[in-house]
Amino acid sequence: WAFALIRWKARIDVSGAVRNFTAGLALSIGYGVVLHGLRLFVFPALPLSALAMLCLGLSCASLLGVLFLMLGSRLRVFSLHTFSG
């Protein structure tokens, strides 16, 4: 709704922002689907204690987060320059 309003009222081209928003949304959904798949199909098959399972899940989530961040940066969807000092 906001993109359409900006395009209609201000006559600003928002196609790049819509593309980045869509790609970011797809990356977020992909990250969630991969984590959910690991939790449902991979982790239950492993004979680990609850604490070891928690540590494995946190490390997998962190590693996948870094991978998806690198992928998003490579696709020029977002960058971490906003967060630098």
Side-chain angles (χ1 to χ4, degrees), residues 4 10 12 14-15 20-21 24 31-32 34 37-38 49 51-53 56 58 60-62 65 70-71 74 84:
I12 297 174
V14 293
S15 60
N20 287 344
F21 178 75
Y31 174 74
V34 170
L38 282 173
S49 68
L51 181 61
M53 194 70 71
L56 179 65
L58 289 173
C60 284
S62 298
M70 288 174 28
L71 181 62
R74 181 83 172 146
S84 63

Short mmCIF file of all heavy atoms in Angstrom, two decimals, residues 4 10 12 14-15 20-21 24 31-32 34 37-38 49 51-53 56 58 60-62 65 70-71 74 84:
data_model
loop_
_atom_site.label_atom_id
_atom_site.label_comp_id
_atom_site.label_asym_id
_atom_site.label_seq_id
_atom_site.Cartn_x
_atom_site.Cartn_y
_atom_site.Cartn_z
N ALA A 4 2.53 1.91 -3.43
CA ALA A 4 1.56 2.42 -4.40
C ALA A 4 1.24 3.89 -4.12
O ALA A 4 1.11 4.70 -5.05
CB ALA A 4 0.30 1.58 -4.38
N ALA A 10 3.53 10.99 -5.16
CA ALA A 10 4.80 11.70 -5.34
C ALA A 10 5.43 11.45 -6.71
O ALA A 10 6.42 12.08 -7.04
CB ALA A 10 5.77 11.32 -4.24
N ILE A 12 7.22 8.95 -7.68
CA ILE A 12 8.58 8.45 -7.48
C ILE A 12 8.63 7.00 -7.93
O ILE A 12 7.75 6.21 -7.60
CB ILE A 12 8.99 8.57 -6.00
CG1 ILE A 12 9.01 10.04 -5.57
CG2 ILE A 12 10.34 7.93 -5.76
CD1 ILE A 12 9.26 10.24 -4.11
N VAL A 14 9.41 3.43 -7.62
CA VAL A 14 9.64 2.56 -6.46
C VAL A 14 9.95 1.13 -6.89
O VAL A 14 9.95 0.23 -6.05
CB VAL A 14 8.42 2.57 -5.51
CG1 VAL A 14 8.26 3.92 -4.86
CG2 VAL A 14 7.16 2.14 -6.22
N SER A 15 10.23 0.91 -8.15
CA SER A 15 10.44 -0.46 -8.63
C SER A 15 11.64 -1.12 -7.96
O SER A 15 11.61 -2.30 -7.64
CB SER A 15 10.59 -0.48 -10.14
OG SER A 15 11.70 0.30 -10.54
N ASN A 20 13.70 -5.08 -3.99
CA ASN A 20 14.47 -5.40 -2.78
C ASN A 20 13.58 -5.93 -1.67
O ASN A 20 13.96 -6.84 -0.95
CB ASN A 20 15.24 -4.18 -2.30
CG ASN A 20 16.41 -3.85 -3.19
OD1 ASN A 20 16.84 -4.67 -3.98
ND2 ASN A 20 16.92 -2.65 -3.06
N PHE A 21 12.39 -5.36 -1.53
CA PHE A 21 11.46 -5.83 -0.51
C PHE A 21 11.04 -7.27 -0.81
O PHE A 21 11.00 -8.11 0.10
CB PHE A 21 10.23 -4.92 -0.47
CG PHE A 21 9.18 -5.36 0.51
CD1 PHE A 21 9.37 -5.17 1.87
CD2 PHE A 21 8.02 -5.98 0.07
CE1 PHE A 21 8.41 -5.58 2.77
CE2 PHE A 21 7.06 -6.39 0.96
CZ PHE A 21 7.26 -6.20 2.32
N GLY A 24 14.01 -9.61 -0.17
CA GLY A 24 14.21 -9.75 1.27
C GLY A 24 13.16 -10.63 1.91
O GLY A 24 13.46 -11.44 2.79
N TYR A 31 14.82 -18.72 4.90
CA TYR A 31 15.52 -18.97 6.16
C TYR A 31 14.60 -19.71 7.14
O TYR A 31 15.00 -20.69 7.75
CB TYR A 31 15.98 -17.63 6.75
CG TYR A 31 16.61 -17.74 8.12
CD1 TYR A 31 17.88 -18.24 8.28
CD2 TYR A 31 15.94 -17.30 9.25
CE1 TYR A 31 18.48 -18.33 9.53
CE2 TYR A 31 16.52 -17.38 10.51
CZ TYR A 31 17.78 -17.89 10.64
OH TYR A 31 18.35 -17.98 11.88
N GLY A 32 13.37 -19.26 7.25
CA GLY A 32 12.43 -19.91 8.15
C GLY A 32 12.10 -21.33 7.72
O GLY A 32 11.99 -22.23 8.56
N VAL A 34 14.01 -23.39 5.95
CA VAL A 34 15.17 -24.25 6.18
C VAL A 34 15.29 -24.60 7.66
O VAL A 34 15.51 -25.77 8.03
CB VAL A 34 16.47 -23.59 5.65
CG1 VAL A 34 17.70 -24.35 6.11
CG2 VAL A 34 16.44 -23.50 4.14
N GLY A 37 12.55 -27.05 8.56
CA GLY A 37 12.87 -28.38 8.02
C GLY A 37 13.92 -29.10 8.86
O GLY A 37 13.81 -30.31 9.10
N LEU A 38 14.93 -28.36 9.29
CA LEU A 38 15.93 -28.97 10.16
C LEU A 38 15.30 -29.44 11.47
O LEU A 38 15.61 -30.52 11.96
CB LEU A 38 17.04 -27.96 10.47
CG LEU A 38 18.08 -27.71 9.39
CD1 LEU A 38 19.00 -26.57 9.79
CD2 LEU A 38 18.88 -28.96 9.11
N SER A 49 21.16 -35.17 23.75
CA SER A 49 20.42 -34.69 24.93
C SER A 49 19.76 -33.36 24.59
O SER A 49 20.02 -32.76 23.54
CB SER A 49 21.38 -34.52 26.10
OG SER A 49 22.28 -33.45 25.83
N LEU A 51 20.15 -30.44 26.01
CA LEU A 51 21.11 -29.34 25.98
C LEU A 51 21.94 -29.36 24.70
O LEU A 51 22.17 -28.32 24.08
CB LEU A 51 22.03 -29.41 27.21
CG LEU A 51 23.07 -28.30 27.33
CD1 LEU A 51 22.38 -26.95 27.44
CD2 LEU A 51 23.98 -28.56 28.50
N ALA A 52 22.36 -30.54 24.28
CA ALA A 52 23.12 -30.66 23.04
C ALA A 52 22.26 -30.28 21.84
O ALA A 52 22.74 -29.64 20.89
CB ALA A 52 23.66 -32.07 22.88
N MET A 53 20.98 -30.64 21.89
CA MET A 53 20.05 -30.28 20.81
C MET A 53 19.87 -28.76 20.74
O MET A 53 19.81 -28.19 19.65
CB MET A 53 18.71 -30.97 21.03
CG MET A 53 17.81 -30.96 19.84
SD MET A 53 18.38 -32.01 18.50
CE MET A 53 18.10 -33.60 19.19
N LEU A 56 23.04 -27.29 19.25
CA LEU A 56 23.07 -27.57 17.82
C LEU A 56 22.09 -26.67 17.06
O LEU A 56 22.42 -26.13 16.00
CB LEU A 56 22.75 -29.04 17.56
CG LEU A 56 22.71 -29.48 16.10
CD1 LEU A 56 24.10 -29.35 15.48
CD2 LEU A 56 22.19 -30.88 15.97
N LEU A 58 20.94 -23.69 17.98
CA LEU A 58 21.43 -22.32 17.99
C LEU A 58 22.59 -22.12 17.02
O LEU A 58 22.67 -21.10 16.33
CB LEU A 58 21.84 -21.91 19.40
CG LEU A 58 20.70 -21.73 20.39
CD1 LEU A 58 21.26 -21.50 21.79
CD2 LEU A 58 19.81 -20.58 19.97
N CYS A 60 23.19 -23.93 14.31
CA CYS A 60 22.66 -24.02 12.94
C CYS A 60 21.94 -22.73 12.55
O CYS A 60 22.08 -22.25 11.42
CB CYS A 60 21.71 -25.21 12.82
SG CYS A 60 22.54 -26.79 12.73
N ALA A 61 21.16 -22.17 13.48
CA ALA A 61 20.46 -20.92 13.19
C ALA A 61 21.45 -19.78 12.94
O ALA A 61 21.25 -18.97 12.03
CB ALA A 61 19.52 -20.56 14.34
N SER A 62 22.53 -19.73 13.71
CA SER A 62 23.53 -18.69 13.52
C SER A 62 24.26 -18.86 12.19
O SER A 62 24.46 -17.88 11.45
CB SER A 62 24.56 -18.73 14.65
OG SER A 62 23.93 -18.48 15.87
N GLY A 65 21.95 -17.99 9.44
CA GLY A 65 21.76 -16.54 9.42
C GLY A 65 22.89 -15.83 8.69
O GLY A 65 22.67 -14.93 7.88
N MET A 70 24.93 -13.18 3.84
CA MET A 70 25.88 -13.09 2.73
C MET A 70 25.16 -13.17 1.39
O MET A 70 25.50 -12.44 0.45
CB MET A 70 26.94 -14.18 2.85
CG MET A 70 27.91 -13.93 3.96
SD MET A 70 29.12 -15.23 4.33
CE MET A 70 29.38 -16.07 2.81
N LEU A 71 24.16 -14.05 1.30
CA LEU A 71 23.39 -14.16 0.07
C LEU A 71 22.63 -12.87 -0.22
O LEU A 71 22.62 -12.38 -1.35
CB LEU A 71 22.43 -15.34 0.15
CG LEU A 71 21.56 -15.61 -1.07
CD1 LEU A 71 22.43 -15.93 -2.27
CD2 LEU A 71 20.60 -16.74 -0.79
N ARG A 74 25.09 -10.31 -1.37
CA ARG A 74 25.54 -10.61 -2.73
C ARG A 74 24.48 -10.22 -3.77
O ARG A 74 24.80 -9.75 -4.85
CB ARG A 74 25.86 -12.10 -2.83
CG ARG A 74 26.35 -12.55 -4.14
CD ARG A 74 27.83 -12.30 -4.25
NE ARG A 74 28.29 -12.93 -5.47
CZ ARG A 74 29.24 -12.43 -6.20
NH1 ARG A 74 29.85 -11.34 -5.82
NH2 ARG A 74 29.62 -13.02 -7.29
N SER A 84 26.77 0.46 10.83
CA SER A 84 28.17 0.79 11.15
C SER A 84 28.25 2.24 11.62
O SER A 84 27.95 3.16 10.88
CB SER A 84 29.07 0.58 9.93
OG SER A 84 28.69 1.44 8.89
#
